[in-house]
Amino acid sequence: MISFQAKYIAPATIKCKTSNNEYQNMDTSLVKLDLSSRSDKIALKKISKSWTKEFDRLEKQGNEMSGGTCFAKTIYDYYKTSRKTSDCMNYYAITTQADSFEKLNPDEILGLARISNSEFGVYELEHLQARPQYTAFIENSKYKKIGHGILDSILETLPFREFRVISTIESYDFYDKYGLKYDPYTLGFSIIKENHK
């Protein structure tokens, strides 16, 4: 019998708050979700529901939330469609889990990404979502730099010649500070392999 499960891709470094209220590097795992995995689908469904509630609660409390919506639900909806079609979408998660990826724990997943690869060597980040309570807009968050951790790890492992980002207006600063170049014609950000360290 074939076992379908999330596949470990690479380590990903984020920041974690210590007992001294300082942030230090913490190793996490970047995994690629399997479109054939029932377990991955269940984990993503739970994340979609819980992160959306968390996002709405934080927004009602007056927190400024990026994008105006929780992309976890959007990512889950696309994931369900990708399971039925042979599209070019790939789904990634950053998790504090160190093993047992055959059963992802939704509570340990800190970020999600949806990336398309419709053209050889060209990848496009269509959605990136850190768990709402750990986004850059939340003060004294337990974790920081989740988006950086996902991007760093993905850019180190994908065989891209060009990496593009479809960004919300609220996320422009994030991608600009990260070092991706803004293209006023496409209203997006990109990086060319030759220019990437």
Side-chain angles (χ1 to χ4, degrees):
M1 183 176 182
I2 299 172
S3 174
F4 298 104
Q5 63 189 42
K7 178 183 175 189
Y8 175 82
I9 300 295
T13 304
I14 64 169
K15 298 283 185 184
C16 180
K17 189 195 274 190
T18 66
S19 55
N20 300 337
N21 285 330
E22 296 175 354
Y23 287 93
Q24 66 180 23
N25 286 347
M26 175 183 173
D27 287 334
T28 59
S29 302
L30 180 73
V31 296
K32 182 177 179 183
L33 302 181
D34 187 328
L35 293 171
S36 304
S37 170
R38 185 172 182 272
S39 176
D40 287 0
K41 182 184 175 207
I42 290 169
L44 206 50
K45 183 178 183 179
K46 287 179 180 174
I47 289 167
S48 167
K49 288 181 178 178
S50 65
W51 287 16
T52 300
K53 285 180 186 174
E54 196 173 280
F55 184 98
D56 293 343
R57 178 180 53 79
L58 288 165
E59 197 170 45
K60 282 177 186 169
Q61 291 173 351
N63 292 287
E64 180 186 346
M65 303 302 288
S66 177
T69 187
C70 182
F71 291 131
K73 180 178 180 341
T74 305
I75 291 169
Y76 175 61
D77 289 341
Y78 275 105
Y79 176 85
K80 288 188 297 183
T81 302
S82 294
R83 286 169 57 91
K84 299 173 187 171
T85 62
S86 56
D87 64 16
C88 54
M89 292 295 165
N90 297 291
Y91 300 83
Y92 297 89
I94 191 170
T95 177
T96 56
Q97 265 181 260
D99 54 24
S100 303
F101 300 121
E102 68 276 1
K103 186 159 184 175
L104 289 175
N105 181 345
D107 295 332
E108 293 191 56
I109 292 178
L110 303 178
L112 298 170
R114 182 174 81 93
I115 298 175
S116 65
N117 178 217
S118 55
E119 186 182 338
F120 180 75
V122 178
Y123 292 82
E124 198 162 71
L125 176 64
E126 302 204 16
H127 290 99
L128 176 66
Q129 174 77 58
R131 184 170 177 176
Q133 68 177 347
Y134 302 137
T135 61
F137 301 100
I138 306 299
E139 289 185 26
N140 299 314
S141 170
K142 180 179 178 181
Y143 300 108
K144 284 188 173 184
K145 302 287 185 181
I146 295 169
H148 279 265
I150 292 174
L151 278 174
D152 287 347
S153 192
I154 283 173
L155 289 172
E156 284 296 317
T157 56
L158 285 182
F160 72 92
R161 62 180 171 82
E162 185 174 359
F163 186 83
R164 302 173 184 157
V165 175
I166 296 173
S167 174
T168 60
I169 291 170
E170 296 89 348
S171 301
Y172 277 18
D173 281 347
F174 170 77
Y175 293 111
D176 185 53
K177 287 177 185 171
Y178 186 82
L180 296 171
K181 293 193 175 183
Y182 178 68
D183 181 351
Y185 296 106
T186 64
L187 302 178
F189 291 82
S190 67
I191 189 168
I192 306 297
K193 186 70 166 182
E194 295 81 46
N195 301 334
H196 182 58
K197 353 176 196 169

